[in-house]
Each structure stands twice: as C-alpha cells, then as structure tokens.
Amino acid sequence: MENVLHISRIFNTFTCLGMGKRAFQIASTYAEHRKAFGQRIIQYPLVQETLAQMKSEQLALAAFIIKTTSLQDKFDTEINPNNNKKLLLRILVNLNKYISSLWSVEHIHRAIDVLGGNGAIESFSPLPRLLRDSIVCENWEGTHNTLRMQILRDIERYKIDSLFISYLEKEIEKLSKGYQKSFMDYLLVLKEELSWFKSQTPYDKSFFIKEITNHFCFLGMAISLGLEATHQRESGQAGLKEKALDFFTNKYLKNRDKLKEIGDHIRPEDFQEITKEN
C-alpha cells in the first residue's frame, strides 16, 4: 500500500503539472489576441505578471518532479537500495504532490481571471472542466493537511528533515558559482527555522508544519530549477530558466520571515477564540 501511494503521488504530480501548463497555454494565447481599451491585454503589466508567475512556477514544478523521478528510477534499479534513499524519496514525492496540487488549482484560477467572463463559460474553453478536475487531484492520494502531517510524523520518527537538508546541500554544490552562495544563505535560514520549529510544543508543531512544508518546497524547487538554469547557461542556450529562477527566488525566497518571527505574531490557540462562536 505504501508503494502504491508513493507511485500514485508521482503520477498525480505530473497530472497537476499538465493541467496547469494547459491553463497557461490557453491564457497566454487568449491574452495575445484579446483587445481591451485599444490594445492586446498581453501588453498590460498585471496580465504579464500573472503569466510570468504561472510560467516560472510551472518551470520550477517541472524541474522538481523530473529530478525526483530521476532519483526514483535510480533507486528502483539498485539491487540493495539504501533505506535513507527511500526516506529521501518519500519526502520528495510528498512535497511534489503537495505543492503541484496546490498550485495547479491556483494556476487554472488565474487563467480564468485572464479570460475574464469568458473564462467561466463551459463552451468557450476547457478551463472550467480543468478547474473541477484539478480539485479532484488536489484531494486525491492525500489532502494538503494529510501530507503536512505525514511530513511532521516523518521528521519526528525518521529525522527526514536532516536527509532533506543534506540532499539540498549536495545539490547546491552542483550549481554555478553565481548561485551557490545565495542558495547556501537560504538553506541557513531554513536550518534556523527547523531548529526553532523543533523546540515548539506538539500542538504548535502541527500548526507551523504548514510553513515548514512550504519552505521545503520553495527551496527544493528553486534549486532544481537552478540546476536546469546552470545547464542551460553552460550549453550556451537562451536564458529563459535563469529569468524564471530570478522571478521565483525574488517571490519566494528573498526577505521572507523566519518562522520564529511569524510565531511572535500568530499563535494557533488564537484561532480557537476566533472560531468558537457562530
């Protein structure tokens, strides 16, 4: 059963990625042709930003799952695979399933926004159907909270976070020199967050695991995309992935608060006071 869930979550990730990429294709093509107030809507900065965010996130998602699948292939062909590799794949697959299903719904919703009223019309584009299907994949093989809590249990039981950090350190060493220092700085922040996180009560951990999981995903995706950008640069190709990486890191890795600072302002027990009365 464990293996079935594991492999199914890989397939689920590729399904979500495909849905999001289809939504981007529809939205970007529509934006190239649709005119409003005398010009094509692709010329408006806010539309450009929406499409750029979708594209950069999808490139990062694709890099993350392809790297994970490559590691899965190597693991499956080993005669006596190391148990630590199995545990590393466990967290990588869970992170991929989590973030891809979360973002595919967001990407399709953004694409609908680009189309405006036409985006909600069933006969105009596949977007309404894609949105319904993406919600199925979002909850299939583990909801967001299920995956977060599984990662928390694996941190407590297997110290899976240490395996993940070690993996990221080795991947950062493969990046071009221009990327290594900044990513090591991001990794240091993540280590500090984990140290603070582990000092919390079980109740608080079950709340802050959401941010820990997000930060695992953001850094894992950024490094995977960074490896592809490094390869692109070394092979003399155009720098699309470098530009996407810059957009991605500026949005998700630069100047983000540490969990300790978040915890000074938000406590899960506050939610009980907010929600106890109808």
Side-chain angles (χ1 to χ4, degrees), residues 5-21 57-58 60-69 89-104 107 137-138 140-142 147 221:
L5 278 174
H6 183 80
I7 299 302
S8 184
R9 285 172 178 167
I10 293 176
F11 282 114
N12 199 94
T13 299
F14 279 107
T15 301
C16 290
L17 179 61
M19 288 179 179
K21 288 174 74 68
E57 289 174 355
Q58 287 167 10
L61 283 168
F64 199 29
I65 185 56
I66 289 171
K67 177 65 177 179
T68 299
T69 308
L89 279 166
R90 178 183 175 108
I91 188 171
L92 288 174
V93 168
N94 287 342
L95 291 172
N96 270 282
K97 194 278 174 187
Y98 163 75
I99 196 65
S100 65
S101 62
L102 186 68
W103 277 3
S104 70
H107 290 170
C137 289
E138 186 178 25
W140 193 258
E141 305 294 18
L147 290 166
M221 285 188 292

Side-chain angles (χ1 to χ4, degrees), residues 272-278:
Q272 298 176 20
E273 295 298 320
I274 297 170
T275 60
K276 69 180 180 180
E277 294 184 6
N278 292 328

Side-chain angles (χ1 to χ4, degrees), residues 63-265:
F64 199 29
I65 185 56
I66 289 171
K67 177 65 177 179
T68 299
T69 308
S70 174
L71 294 174
Q72 183 71 52
D73 286 343
K74 292 178 182 178
F75 178 82
D76 289 341
T77 55
E78 289 183 1
I79 298 175
N80 295 306
N82 187 297
N83 190 57
N84 281 346
K85 292 182 180 179
K86 181 179 180 180
L87 289 173
L88 175 63
L89 279 166
R90 178 183 175 108
I91 188 171
L92 288 174
V93 168
N94 287 342
L95 291 172
N96 270 282
K97 194 278 174 187
Y98 163 75
I99 196 65
S100 65
S101 62
L102 186 68
W103 277 3
S104 70
V105 175
E106 293 183 7
H107 290 170
I108 297 166
H109 199 189
R110 288 193 201 118
I112 291 173
D113 288 342
V114 172
L115 270 65
N118 287 328
I121 300 174
E122 295 273 353
S123 58
F124 191 85
S125 80
L127 290 176
R129 177 178 59 81
L130 278 175
L131 182 61
R132 291 195 301 272
D133 289 349
S134 68
I135 293 171
V136 174
C137 289
E138 186 178 25
N139 293 284
W140 193 258
E141 305 294 18
T143 64
H144 305 315
N145 283 340
T146 297
L147 290 166
R148 290 163 182 154
M149 294 310 296
Q150 182 173 331
I151 289 170
L152 175 58
R153 288 193 297 271
D154 287 346
I155 289 174
E156 299 284 0
R157 184 176 181 182
Y158 300 117
K159 300 186 183 339
I160 207 166
D161 55 308
S162 297
L163 293 174
F164 183 65
I165 293 295
S166 296
Y167 163 76
L168 293 182
E169 288 175 336
K170 293 175 183 176
E171 293 298 288
I172 290 173
E173 292 174 359
K174 301 175 186 176
L175 295 171
S176 64
K177 297 297 183 182
Y179 290 137
Q180 286 184 7
K181 184 182 185 306
S182 60
F183 276 106
M184 279 298 185
D185 289 342
Y186 300 144
L187 188 62
L188 179 60
V189 172
L190 182 58
K191 289 179 179 179
E192 292 174 355
E193 290 177 347
L194 280 167
S195 178
W196 176 86
F197 172 77
K198 291 178 180 180
S199 69
Q200 303 305 297
T201 66
Y203 179 82
D204 284 350
K205 286 179 183 177
S206 68
F207 171 67
F208 287 110
I209 189 59
K210 176 181 177 179
E211 293 301 321
I212 285 290
T213 302
N214 288 344
H215 295 174
F216 278 176
C217 289
F218 298 156
L219 192 50
M221 285 188 292
I223 291 171
S224 297
L225 183 56
L227 289 170
E228 294 195 359
T230 296
H231 173 75
Q232 197 173 62
R233 175 188 288 181
E234 292 174 350
S235 60
Q237 299 178 32
L240 168 63
K241 291 180 179 178
E242 284 188 337
K243 292 178 181 177
L245 180 61
D246 288 342
F247 187 103
F248 189 89
T249 54
N250 274 302
K251 184 169 183 61
Y252 292 107
L253 295 181
K254 289 188 181 298
N255 300 321
R256 61 181 170 82
D257 293 333
K258 298 176 184 178
L259 281 186
K260 183 177 180 181
E261 294 167 353
I262 296 172
D264 289 339
H265 302 286

Side-chain angles (χ1 to χ4, degrees), residues 42-54:
I42 191 66
Q43 295 173 303
Y44 290 110
L46 292 177
V47 174
Q48 293 171 354
E49 181 192 34
T50 296
L51 295 174
Q53 183 172 342
M54 290 171 66

